[in-house]
Amino acid sequence: MKKLNIKGLNINVDPKNFWYLVIYGGIIFLIVLVGIFPLYKYNSSLNKENQELKYKIEEQKELGPVYLNLLKSADDKTVRLFPSPEKTTIPRSEAGKFQDDFRAIAGKAGLTIMSFTPDLSTLAGSSTSFLHNVVLKGEFADFRKMLIGLGSVPYLDRIEEINVQQQPYSMEFKMKIRIAVK
């Protein structure tokens, strides 16, 4: 037997047994390096995936009722239709009725009528339509409501022109509207 002296540590080991210890220690080190360390990395990645899946499951539980509400609203078959009455004409003698109807629709929408001028030259002769020049003030959302309201007027022929201008405190809408007369 030989004595091994490592920095003041005296160990009596047979050199043959020493090499066995080195070889077995190397095998254990290789098993740890090749088997246990990759298994540890694999387990830690699986734990990370589990945490992500738990988070996604919680997210789905929280968003489930919102999704069901969306599905219910998509299945709701009540379609919002804009008014679209059968198109008719109005007698020439009642053409002034449009001004009252228009004022009611604009007032209901929240718009202010600045001017409402019928173009009398379009009423003369055998013309089948009567032109009105209108200037309104208000907000754009209210203008949209008014246009939808105008869709319910059965003798409205067409809107020829719409001019929108931003003013300091509101918007100004200029329109040329034709009504069908007989």
Side-chain angles (χ1 to χ4, degrees), residues 95-106:
K97 176 183 176 202
F98 178 65
Q99 188 169 3
D100 297 331
D101 291 345
F102 187 84
R103 286 188 191 284
I105 293 169

Side-chain angles (χ1 to χ4, degrees), residues 113-133:
I113 298 175
M114 301 309 290
S115 73
F116 189 97
T117 313
D119 189 352
L120 297 177
S121 64
T122 59
L123 189 59
S126 62
S127 175
T128 59
S129 63
F130 185 26
L131 180 67
H132 293 82
N133 295 307

Side-chain angles (χ1 to χ4, degrees), residues 19 39 70 122 176 181-182:
W19 285 111
L39 186 62
L70 285 174
T122 59
K176 290 187 178 184
V181 293
K182 47 178 164 172

Side-chain angles (χ1 to χ4, degrees), residues 48-112:
K48 188 183 270 187
E49 284 181 29
N50 279 343
Q51 291 300 322
E52 289 175 9
L53 286 175
K54 284 180 183 177
Y55 174 74
K56 287 180 180 179
I57 288 171
E58 287 300 318
E59 185 179 47
Q60 291 299 321
K61 284 181 182 177
E62 290 175 10
L63 293 176
V66 174
Y67 179 71
L68 290 176
N69 284 340
L70 285 174
L71 282 179
K72 281 182 184 177
S73 66
D75 289 339
D76 190 10
K77 298 298 180 190
T78 58
V79 180
R80 296 181 187 157
L81 294 176
F82 292 120
S84 183
E86 180 98 19
K87 294 296 177 189
T88 61
T89 59
I90 190 169
R92 287 180 191 272
S93 60
E94 295 180 20
K97 176 183 176 202
F98 178 65
Q99 188 169 3
D100 297 331
D101 291 345
F102 187 84
R103 286 188 191 284
I105 293 169
K108 192 177 195 182
L111 294 172
T112 304

Side-chain angles (χ1 to χ4, degrees), residues 6-76:
I6 304 174
K7 290 187 183 179
L9 188 63
N10 290 332
I11 300 175
N12 290 332
V13 178
D14 188 16
K16 186 178 179 186
N17 288 339
F18 175 74
W19 285 111
Y20 283 136
L21 284 173
V22 169
I23 289 173
Y24 289 136
I27 290 172
I28 291 172
F29 179 73
L30 281 175
I31 288 173
V32 167
L33 187 66
V34 172
I36 295 175
F37 185 70
L39 186 62
Y40 171 76
K41 295 290 274 182
Y42 177 72
N43 280 339
S44 67
S45 70
L46 282 180
N47 283 339
K48 188 183 270 187
E49 284 181 29
N50 279 343
Q51 291 300 322
E52 289 175 9
L53 286 175
K54 284 180 183 177
Y55 174 74
K56 287 180 180 179
I57 288 171
E58 287 300 318
E59 185 179 47
Q60 291 299 321
K61 284 181 182 177
E62 290 175 10
L63 293 176
V66 174
Y67 179 71
L68 290 176
N69 284 340
L70 285 174
L71 282 179
K72 281 182 184 177
S73 66
D75 289 339
D76 190 10

